[in-house]
Amino acid sequence: MDGKPLRLIAATDTALGIGRDGRLPWHLPNEFDRFLSRVTAVSGPGKRNLLIWGRHSAVRPSQPLPNCHRVCLSRNLSCVPPGADHLCRDFASAVQLAYLPPLSDHIETIWVLGGTHVYQLQEALKHPNCDQIYLTNIMADFNCDTFFPEFDRETFRLLEEFPGIPSEIQEENGIKYKFQVFQKVTSQ
Ligand SMILES: NC(=O)c1ccc[n+]([C@@H]2O[C@H](COP(=O)([O-])OP(=O)(O)OC[C@H]3O[C@@H](n4cnc5c(N)ncnc54)[C@H](OP(=O)(O)O)[C@@H]3O)[C@@H](O)[C@H]2O)c1
């Protein structure tokens, strides 16, 4: 693969729901910590990841995200909102940041963090460098009003095991969930 990997990451319920009333309908701190660890993981000093999210989905952890440049997508905002480092008017411009100075030498992975509008962009799932989808499968129905898009599970195959990701079912606050990684099948 030429270029930098581009990956989607989300937590979904049994109906592929991701949110309700503009929020996450579950409270799973350990799952959220693992999500933060995943998107901030880099191979060494000076390396960074590019995190892309829509205006309604900014991640607001209690402390800054290390090793990251955060991009907010909006067609309406005129200045970079709190919690972001960059503002882009479209997805292609956001991805392009990873390939242009001053970020190009540093960015390793481009993470797409939602919400629905952004996950549904064909430019994301169909991007030639989109090689993996990380989904936490929350094993309950939360009556969500926003959803992760259906995707081709022949193109993206569920891996039985993935290094660093527990394969057993997790439980938090009485809610069961499991971590899943879907890997794009590439033709030889
Ligand atoms: N479970 C999960 O893993 C997860 C992850 C993220 C979010 N969520 C949930 O998802 C819900 C929010 O999703 P959402 O779809 O309503 O909001 P969103 O995708 O976060 O934000 C939508 C806004 O982003 C901007 N935008 C989106 N696509 C764009 C594009 N291609 N170019 C330029 N700007 C673009 C637009 O802002 P302007 O209107 O300013 O132009 C749009 O109104 C919440 O419930 C949240 O909790 C869940």
Side-chain angles (χ1 to χ4, degrees):
M1 178 178 65
D2 293 332
K4 302 168 194 260
L6 184 151
R7 294 169 179 163
L8 280 65
I9 185 165
T12 59
D13 75 0
T14 49
L16 281 184
I18 62 164
R20 193 178 62 223
D21 300 328
R23 307 165 59 98
L24 295 178
W26 45 77
H27 180 62
L28 300 172
N30 294 341
E31 194 281 332
F32 194 70
D33 284 350
R34 189 168 276 273
F35 152 77
L36 292 179
S37 303
R38 173 65 47 188
V39 299
T40 57
V42 290
S43 65
K47 295 300 180 188
R48 302 275 185 274
N49 292 332
L50 193 73
L51 311 186
I52 303 175
W53 55 65
R55 181 167 60 83
H56 302 150
S57 294
V59 178
R60 296 185 190 89
S62 53
Q63 53 201 34
L65 291 171
N67 309 327
C68 291
H69 285 273
R70 302 157 298 174
V71 185
C72 175
L73 287 179
S74 169
R75 298 181 188 91
N76 291 313
L77 292 179
S78 53
C79 57
V80 181
D85 305 301
H86 309 270
L87 171 66
C88 288
R89 302 214 167 276
D90 56 63
F91 188 77
S93 310
V95 172
Q96 194 67 7
L97 286 174
Y99 290 92
L100 294 174
L103 302 190
S104 49
D105 285 347
H106 308 289
I107 300 295
E108 289 187 325
T109 303
I110 301 165
W111 288 100
V112 177
L113 272 58
T116 306
H117 285 87
V118 180
Y119 291 137
Q120 286 180 345
L121 291 171
Q122 293 297 304
E123 295 159 279
L125 261 174
K126 296 267 168 80
H127 193 283
N129 289 4
C130 180
D131 63 340
Q132 293 174 342
I133 301 171
Y134 288 68
L135 289 187
T136 301
N137 175 10
I138 300 174
M139 302 160 83
D141 187 339
F142 284 84
N143 196 23
C144 290
D145 57 18
T146 45
F147 297 87
F148 194 88
E150 294 290 346
F151 58 96
D152 182 353
R153 293 179 191 234
E154 291 299 314
T155 303
F156 288 94
R157 298 258 177 89
L158 178 61
L159 299 177
E160 287 185 14
E161 292 189 344
F162 193 79
I165 298 216
S167 52
E168 63 273 15
I169 291 173
Q170 312 289 306
E171 185 163 350
E172 214 176 343
N173 295 333
I175 300 169
K176 290 188 168 64
Y177 59 92
K178 57 187 173 189
F179 299 108
Q180 296 184 323
V181 181
F182 295 83
Q183 175 81 42
K184 190 189 224 169
V185 177
T186 50
S187 47
Q188 301 298 315

